[in-house]
Amino acid sequence: MQPFRVSSPNSFAGRRIRISEKMETSLRYAGDSKSLRFYAKEKFPVASNTFCQLNGELDTRIGAPTYLSAMIRHFFPDLSASLGVGVHYNRNKKLHFNVRGKKEYPVTTNGLLTFNIKARCDADEEFREINSGGAAEFCWNIFNIRKDQDLRLKFGCDAVDRIPYLQIRENNWTFNAYWNGKWNVRYDL
């Protein structure tokens, strides 16, 4: 089963939250970090269209977690939107609070091409340092490009730094490239 496939390719509206029966894990490598990271995410249902998401990352070079986070996420299927509120603890022993949102607009009637707007706001535990960001992107899902092979292409731009990016996802592999030369790759286990 492909990790990014939804039960219905038609628009966000009408989709149900799919809680995986097993923990989602991946191996990640970024060109600027020079270390392999092990990532894990688990989702627990809380209510209809709401779940608690726990995730963390272990850096294999230093042998310690780089971050741990917990977030309550709610989906609004009729609005094709989602909202998340949570906490994030990083390896510098700093606690941050965060809010994230996403709104999806179908470009085609079948919902395979969408225009997405994403936003986030992070604050330290004293609310002295507040960082915000967002992005606008086009996302094109191509199912069964070959037998049992799906493809997702994303092209977007960071709203704050104005850095364009591209994502190519083929079944378990994801490659992200940024206009400033940074890149990373992920393999879902």
Side-chain angles (χ1 to χ4, degrees):
M1 178 168 48
Q2 290 74 27
F4 69 90
R5 179 176 269 188
V6 293
S7 58
S8 167
N10 301 325
S11 78
F12 195 102
R15 290 185 199 169
R16 301 189 64 79
I17 296 175
R18 197 173 95 198
I19 305 296
S20 176
E21 302 215 355
K22 61 179 185 170
M23 181 181 295
E24 297 174 39
T25 56
S26 62
L27 296 174
R28 299 174 178 206
Y29 183 81
D32 58 350
S33 72
K34 306 293 187 229
S35 67
L36 184 65
R37 294 168 289 135
F38 179 75
Y39 174 86
K41 174 171 58 174
E42 184 74 67
K43 298 174 185 174
F44 301 97
V46 175
S48 176
N49 294 328
T50 305
F51 62 86
C52 175
Q53 178 177 304
L54 304 174
N55 48 327
E57 187 177 78
L58 175 70
D59 187 323
T60 60
R61 182 174 49 87
I62 62 174
T66 51
Y67 77 86
L68 303 168
S69 71
M71 180 175 280
I72 299 293
R73 296 189 62 196
H74 184 77
F75 288 86
F76 302 90
D78 296 337
L79 299 174
S80 300
S82 65
L83 178 68
V85 178
V87 295
H88 180 100
Y89 185 76
N90 64 24
R91 69 176 159 199
N92 299 328
K93 299 183 180 177
K94 291 187 178 180
L95 184 69
H96 293 269
F97 300 101
N98 48 47
V99 177
R100 299 186 188 283
K102 179 179 178 182
K103 173 74 172 133
E104 182 178 280
Y105 298 94
V107 175
T108 57
T109 56
N110 63 7
L112 296 178
L113 179 62
T114 60
F115 178 70
N116 305 327
I117 297 174
K118 304 187 290 188
R120 65 166 178 78
C121 183
D122 301 314
D124 66 359
E125 58 190 53
E126 289 90 28
F127 290 96
R128 292 186 187 147
E129 183 180 327
I130 298 176
N131 297 312
S132 59
E137 64 187 18
F138 283 98
C139 181
W140 183 24
N141 289 305
I142 306 167
F143 296 122
N144 291 317
I145 196 164
R146 290 190 181 153
K147 185 176 172 34
D148 296 326
Q149 183 180 22
D150 297 336
L151 185 68
R152 179 172 65 196
L153 301 172
K154 281 187 183 182
F155 180 72
C157 187
D158 182 278
V160 176
D161 298 328
R162 295 193 175 108
I163 298 173
Y165 61 88
L166 170 72
Q167 181 185 85
I168 301 169
R169 182 166 186 169
E170 182 272 334
N171 289 357
N172 291 4
W173 288 97
T174 305
F175 176 73
N176 296 298
Y178 304 89
W179 192 262
N180 62 1
K182 293 186 178 184
W183 61 272
N184 61 60
V185 65
R186 177 176 78 204
Y187 180 76
D188 295 321
L189 301 173

